[in-house]
Amino acid sequence: MISGNMPLAAILSIGVLSSKGISICNEETIVARCSIGFLIFSQRSSGNTSKAAFQDRIGAIQRELQQFLDPNEVVSPKSKEQQQNLRISLRSITPEIVQSLPNETARCAPKCERTVQAVSCRNPNVESATPPNAISSRRIRLRNNIVTGFHSPLIHKFAAGGPDAKKAFPVEPIREGLRRLETTPKEFIKRTPTSEQPPHPRRGPDYSRPHPRRGPDYSGELTPSRIEFLISGLREARDRRHQ
Amino acid sequence: MTNGPLEEEEIKVFITLNSPLEQFAIIPSIPVKIGNSYSPFTNSPLFMLLTTGLVPLSVHSATKNGGNLEPNAWQSLVELIHDFVLNPVNEQIGGLSENVKQKSFPCIPVTFTFLSFRNPQGMIPYSFTVTSHFIITSGLSFSPFIGITLVGSQRNGLHLFSFLLPAGVPLPLAPFSVLPELIPYRFRALSSGIRLFANMMAGHSLVKISSGFARTMLCLNNIMYFSGGLGPLSIVFALTGPELGVAISQAYVFTISICIHPNDAINLHQLQFSIVMGLKLLSF
């Protein structure tokens, strides 16, 4: 009812204002009023469409971020102190990774830092009481996601063979650190029996070939001590690169 | 409807009529005199500074600290503008020169953002449309054109002129083909500038003419004139949307034309050359 009477009210108000010379005194005010009226009209007619488009986009981004989390995993309560320590340890990796990036990527350092933080700090919420095979598969997936996430957008920049290519790929310090995890002392590795390891994605649950480099009992869990070892590996790789 | 001499109010209305081209007048804002030269700071650079100051500020505030992983509406808008410009860059500046694409990309979204915020600026009351002056638009179109020609000549040397030779033309006809082709090559930049300037000037002039007509009819205190004045008023209302659309579409067209130049000047006839050579080899 009100929206139907809007044009009539507008015409009457224009008539009154123009007869008195109030606010319709020159062309600029007419153009301004028509622009404001057009914006209000377009907001009423298609404002929900644009809002829905933005919401769809935000939803799609949220779904992509949720892929880092397995939706079937269940979070059960764990000691808060242990969780907090693990969260702090995981966050401490982030500056090391960001510092190892070449200068050209330093511009996106805050975003990279946030990405690594968001990816790595989801772990403490999930790893607390989930089954070990789910944790280990997620660890492996997370590690590969972090490495790939830094590798793929930068490979186009450094693959041309120009002066940038002479600098090390930012993924190298990460891989160096992760490679060191293979040679970690035995007490840092939680031994998980082969039967509790995650099933091979293609060869089925009965496939039991042990990892060629890491041995049959490698579980892939990121314990705080292993995280410290990883950080020291990253530092060594960075120092070696700067020499 | 009055049949006698014009009333005082009607005379006042006619006297205070503004020309529709007055909105394009250059008005000195800050007089600056250096020796014998008088170089005032006019409304044109003032509005340029406003745009170049406000737009980066708003983009910076929308993407503070690198932005959020889950963007809000403003950050989404900035990202959409970035993706909107990235598509023509990837499509037009393609081929073998990946480096050229990356090096020329920063200039292109800046140009698009600059134009898409500056073109509709004339719809704001008492503002100034910077791109309604040919000197500005020709500067915008010729500067990348000259730069790309210099880069193309640096990369390809005299082989750059092979772009002006259409594929399949025999060699004896080359001088008669290359020299006339120089004229349309230069006219590409000129046409970009003229297109933008003409669209902005014509569109804003039309809006101002219609609004002046509406104002004249509405302010005559006569019911007949008032009812007639609603027509031009509705025209102004209806023109607002298309004028905003033209402003943004002209910015996009200008950006596309900038994207086409690097591909032609640097890649030349890469695809055509390879096809022609391949066909020649097959014929042997």
Side-chain angles (χ1 to χ4, degrees), chain A residues 11-12 14-16 18-21 24-35 37-39 41 54 57-58 61-62 65-66 110-111 114-115 118-119 122 156-157 160, chain B residues 9 17-18 23 65-73 75-77 79-80 83 98 102 123-126 207-208 211-212 214-215 218-219 221 226 230 233 236-237 240-241 244:
Chain A
I11 291 169
L12 288 173
I14 289 167
V16 169
S18 60
S19 63
K20 299 295 176 188
I24 300 183
C25 46
N26 57 10
E27 297 90 356
E28 303 285 353
T29 52
I30 289 177
V31 170
R33 289 188 172 277
C34 288
S35 301
F38 177 80
L39 287 172
F41 173 75
F54 278 125
R57 187 171 184 271
I58 292 169
I61 292 170
Q62 282 175 345
L65 288 175
Q66 286 295 324
K111 203 168 182 180
R114 278 177 169 253
T115 306
V119 166
R122 288 183 189 273
H156 296 296
K157 202 164 193 173
Chain B
E9 208 162 317
L17 271 178
N18 295 325
Q23 59 181 318
N65 294 329
N68 302 317
L69 278 175
E70 296 175 7
N72 54 11
Q75 187 180 333
S76 287
L77 183 64
E79 289 171 3
L80 281 170
D83 293 338
E98 194 75 19
Q102 289 169 359
M123 305 294 286
I124 300 171
Y126 301 108
V207 170
K208 185 55 77 74
S211 64
R215 182 239 173 192
L218 291 172
C219 293
N221 284 332
F226 176 78
L230 291 176
L233 191 65
V236 175
F237 181 81
T240 307
L244 290 172

Side-chain angles (χ1 to χ4, degrees), chain B residues 186-266:
Chain B
R186 284 175 298 194
F187 262 86
R188 287 161 88 180
L190 194 67
S191 68
S192 297
I194 289 176
R195 187 188 309 118
L196 181 60
F197 142 75
N199 273 286
M200 288 301 107
M201 181 170 255
H204 288 91
S205 299
L206 178 60
V207 170
K208 185 55 77 74
I209 290 169
S210 301
S211 64
F213 191 27
R215 182 239 173 192
T216 307
M217 305 277 275
L218 291 172
C219 293
L220 282 178
N221 284 332
N222 191 302
I223 186 68
M224 294 296 292
Y225 284 123
F226 176 78
S227 56
L230 291 176
L233 191 65
S234 60
I235 288 173
V236 175
F237 181 81
L239 272 177
T240 307
E243 188 59 27
L244 290 172
V246 163
I248 294 174
S249 64
Q250 285 302 312
Y252 183 68
V253 166
F254 193 91
T255 310
I256 289 276
S257 66
I258 291 177
C259 292
I260 291 172
H261 290 159
N263 196 32
D264 290 341
I266 291 164

